[in-house]
Amino acid sequence: MTQPSDASHNPAQEQPLQDRVENRSHRPSSDAFKAFMGSQWQEVEAIDFQPDAAAPYAAQRRAAVSRQFPTDRLVIPAGAPKVRSNDTDYRFRPHSAFAHLTGLGVDHEPEAVLVMQPVAEGSGDDGSNHEATLFFRPLAGRDSEEFYSNTKTGEFWVGPVPTLKELNQRTGLPTKDLTELEYAVTVDAGVVEIGGTRIRLVRETDQNMDALVDTSRINTGVDLEISDALDGELAEFLSELRLIKDEHEIAEMCGSVESTIRGFEDIVRAIPQATKHDRGERVIETAFFARARLEGNDLGYDTIAAAGNNATVLHWIRNTGQVKEGDLVLVDAGVEADSLYTADITRTLPVSGTFTEIQAKIYNAVLEAADAALAAAKPGVLFRDIHLTAMEVLAQHLSDWGILPVSVEEALSAEGQQHRRWMPHGTSHHLGLDVHDCAQARREMYLDAPLRPGMIFTIEPGLYFKNEDLAIPAEFRGIGVRIEDDILVTQDGAESLSAHLPRTVQEIESWMAQVWNS
């Protein structure tokens, strides 16, 4: 039998490419099925919701943004789902700026958008210069095809989502259907000098929103290059707004830290099993992941479970290595709460339960650097000086061990820095909704800024001696040590939120023995 020619048979014309993903489905489409699917469902009981604990704090944050940009329309998208593979997405997590300004964690729809509309000075929300509205896709009725046919938004597939009323009550924000979003974003938009309203957008969060705003700008004669700079100013301010944590944020951070500490106990409990597995690092990683999902939303970042020489790879997340008796295992992990605030803690543990003499010597040097950095942290001290304090301690130890090729003074100078061969990363970073929080803040507001009460950041010095490093004695090779704690600046000093997770050699050895014997 002859095959039909290309001219007579073109499968692409029969079924569009974008529709073929549904070829695996056997969904009925008869009118009888549709009528039956839309009937005999129990009515959903109407519930009144109390405001979320974060709601009043989010309102204060929006007021601060309104003061900064009093006449501009501000558009803050939650973001869209990200494809993991073909038609499967990663678990959705909203953009941190959206979460910060709405107070919402994970309980809302992807593609939601917060729009802050400028109004007459002082006539907006709580006396601000804006009226904020939350746009999102509400639950489809059970009498609609979307209920059972839409794999992205249908309740049959993804479960219930909040109603407009629910999020209004929980956030205190007026809520509207996404179908009204385009008009709200683009109405009267244009060049300010001729009476238009200027838009500022949190970019690269939702491609559709980027396209909508850019198209509006092009159609109204707004300069795109200038607009990009204005959008950048919004991102910068929203990042800097998170530098000082309020009471609610501090409480959420403390909860994340406590869950993370329990996760580290799970890690210790899993170490004996890890030594028996070809991918022992994965055993450790999995133990912590279970805690993150049980008590929070997810991991705050991919867990680093690095044994032996892998601990000298700063961001080792493959976690495919063996966990061998006599080695150290460096674990850098954090639980992200349902509110999306994450902890970030590192401990370096002896696989056998006790440190060798050389391991303890290196560990104690790192511990001394961490303690010195914490002692230096207090209001008014420059953020960058925390790092410099830790480096002074580590450089001195490297010199005492005969490893540093120059004097301590020369190494610590800007022209030297030889000690950084074994400690190439920074000692601290801000922490909060993002593990590396406030990343768009200006240098003078971050690295060169004085510490202020309410700041939360890490202190995490380390020493990393690679097997391949011929500049060090053989006994040092293959050892990586990092100690990381989460620090809150107080009115008169600083407090380690993770202080009761064992840190000293003696504490760790005693703790591990207690866990294994319990």
Side-chain angles (χ1 to χ4, degrees):
M1 180 182 291
T2 61
Q3 295 295 319
S5 68
D6 289 343
S8 62
H9 181 74
N10 186 345
Q13 292 178 353
E14 295 179 4
Q15 184 183 36
L17 188 65
Q18 64 269 22
D19 291 345
R20 296 182 197 175
V21 69
E22 298 296 339
N23 284 346
R24 60 182 169 77
S25 299
H26 300 277
R27 185 181 302 127
S29 58
S30 67
D31 290 340
F33 167 77
K34 294 176 182 179
F36 188 49
M37 280 297 289
S39 66
Q40 301 181 59
W41 295 105
Q42 181 177 338
E43 290 292 329
V44 177
E45 181 181 356
I47 301 174
D48 287 329
F49 293 85
Q50 296 299 313
D52 290 352
Y57 296 96
Q60 293 172 15
R61 300 164 196 160
R62 292 193 298 272
V65 179
S66 180
R67 288 191 296 271
Q68 183 70 14
F69 307 106
T71 62
D72 297 343
R73 180 176 297 141
L74 310 176
V75 181
I76 301 97
K82 294 179 174 61
V83 174
R84 184 185 187 277
S85 172
N86 190 27
D87 60 341
T88 59
D89 297 331
Y90 289 102
R91 275 193 292 271
F92 177 72
R93 185 196 189 280
H95 190 279
S96 294
F98 177 90
H100 195 234
L101 295 181
T102 62
L104 293 171
V106 294
D107 294 327
H108 64 87
E109 278 280 85
E111 300 174 344
V113 180
L114 177 68
V115 177
M116 296 178 63
Q117 171 66 27
V119 293
E121 183 176 358
S123 65
D125 303 334
D126 300 317
S128 74
N129 303 310
H130 287 82
E131 291 179 348
T133 303
L134 178 60
F135 293 83
F136 68 102
R137 182 182 294 104
L139 184 69
R142 289 175 176 170
D143 57 349
S144 71
E145 287 191 39
E146 183 180 349
F147 166 62
Y148 59 85
S149 66
N150 193 316
T151 61
K152 300 290 187 182
T153 62
E155 182 182 357
F156 217 105
W157 292 88
V158 301
V161 298
T163 64
L164 294 171
K165 177 183 176 182
E166 176 185 340
L167 286 195
N168 166 249
Q169 291 179 333
R170 286 175 50 195
T171 65
L173 287 163
T175 54
K176 291 186 178 181
D177 194 293
L178 269 182
T179 56
E180 301 182 59
L181 175 63
E182 181 174 347
Y183 177 80
V185 170
T186 60
V187 62
D188 298 329
V191 178
V192 173
E193 288 74 14
I194 58 174
T197 300
R198 182 164 57 196
I199 302 173
R200 290 183 190 255
L201 168 68
V202 175
R203 300 188 66 85
E204 298 182 4
T205 299
D206 186 325
Q207 291 183 349
N208 290 332
M209 191 53 51
D210 285 2
L212 174 64
V213 171
D214 286 345
T215 300
S216 172
R217 286 168 170 167
I218 291 170
N219 291 341
T220 56
V222 174
D223 187 287
L224 292 183
E225 186 173 345
I226 293 175
S227 295
D228 282 346
L230 297 175
D231 292 343
E233 290 175 1
L234 175 61
E236 176 184 274
F237 182 80
L238 295 180
S239 194
E240 292 175 357
L241 187 63
R242 303 207 304 270
L243 285 165
I244 306 295
K245 270 58 179 181
D246 56 39
E247 292 178 356
H248 176 75
E249 293 179 288
I250 293 171
E252 290 299 312
M253 290 293 299
C254 288
S256 295
V257 167
E258 290 303 313
S259 291
T260 300
I261 289 173
R262 287 188 284 274
F264 269 89
E265 184 168 320
D266 298 335
I267 287 167
V268 171
R269 195 171 286 112
I271 286 177
Q273 179 189 356
T275 63
K276 302 172 185 176
H277 198 287
D278 285 344
R279 290 186 171 186
E281 292 172 345
R282 292 275 176 96
V283 175
I284 291 172
E285 174 191 342
T286 303
F288 188 84
F289 178 68
R291 179 66 61 177
R293 289 293 284 166
L294 285 172
E295 295 195 12
N297 174 52
D298 209 321
L299 300 169
Y301 52 94
D302 286 335
T303 297
I304 297 170
N309 194 51
N310 289 342
T312 69
V313 180
L314 300 181
H315 284 176
W316 174 259
I317 58 173
R318 296 175 190 166
N319 300 339
T320 53
Q322 292 182 311
V323 176
K324 299 178 181 179
E325 294 282 346
D327 279 348
L328 298 178
V329 57
L330 184 160
V331 184
D332 188 332
V335 172
E336 178 187 76
D338 288 336
S339 61
L340 307 181
Y341 288 87
T342 185
D344 180 7
I345 299 174
T346 306
R347 289 293 183 266
T348 305
L349 309 171
V351 174
S352 62
T354 56
F355 291 86
T356 66
E357 182 178 351
I358 187 64
Q359 289 170 350
K361 179 164 78 169
I362 296 170
Y363 186 95
N364 284 329
V366 176
L367 181 64
E368 184 182 335
D371 288 345
L374 177 58
K378 61 189 64 176
V381 171
L382 296 183
F383 187 83
R384 57 179 163 80
D385 288 345
I386 304 301
H387 173 75
L388 297 177
T389 298
M391 291 304 97
E392 290 174 1
V393 174
L394 293 182
Q396 186 61 60
H397 278 285
L398 291 166
S399 178
D400 292 344
W401 297 336
I403 295 175
L404 200 62
V406 297
S407 69
V408 171
E409 292 74 17
E410 183 177 343
L412 292 173
S413 70
E415 296 76 21
Q417 300 293 298
Q418 288 86 348
H419 61 291
R420 299 298 299 278
R421 177 183 178 114
W422 302 286
M423 167 57 184
H425 60 79
T427 303
S428 299
H429 60 78
H430 280 271
L431 184 64
L433 283 167
D434 295 334
V435 66
H436 296 151
D437 208 24
C438 314
Q440 284 74 45
R442 292 165 292 171
R443 181 185 180 96
E444 60 267 27
M445 295 294 289
Y446 195 130
L447 188 62
D448 293 335
L451 300 183
R452 292 184 286 167
M455 286 182 168
I456 296 180
F457 54 84
T458 64
I459 290 180
E460 50 176 313
L463 286 172
Y464 311 93
F465 299 117
K466 293 183 177 293
N467 270 335
E468 306 81 15
D469 190 348
L470 301 182
I472 57 175
E475 63 179 350
F476 283 73
R477 296 174 193 163
I479 296 177
V481 173
R482 181 162 67 250
I483 304 168
E484 179 180 20
D485 288 285
D486 299 343
I487 310 302
L488 168 66
V489 180
T490 61
Q491 292 295 328
D492 54 3
E495 169 191 354
S496 173
L497 302 179
S498 48
H500 64 278
L501 181 61
R503 296 174 73 248
T504 70
V505 166
Q506 293 76 17
E507 288 171 348
I508 287 174
E509 291 179 346
S510 176
W511 171 52
M512 294 180 71
Q514 181 181 3
V515 170
W516 288 344
N517 293 327
S518 62

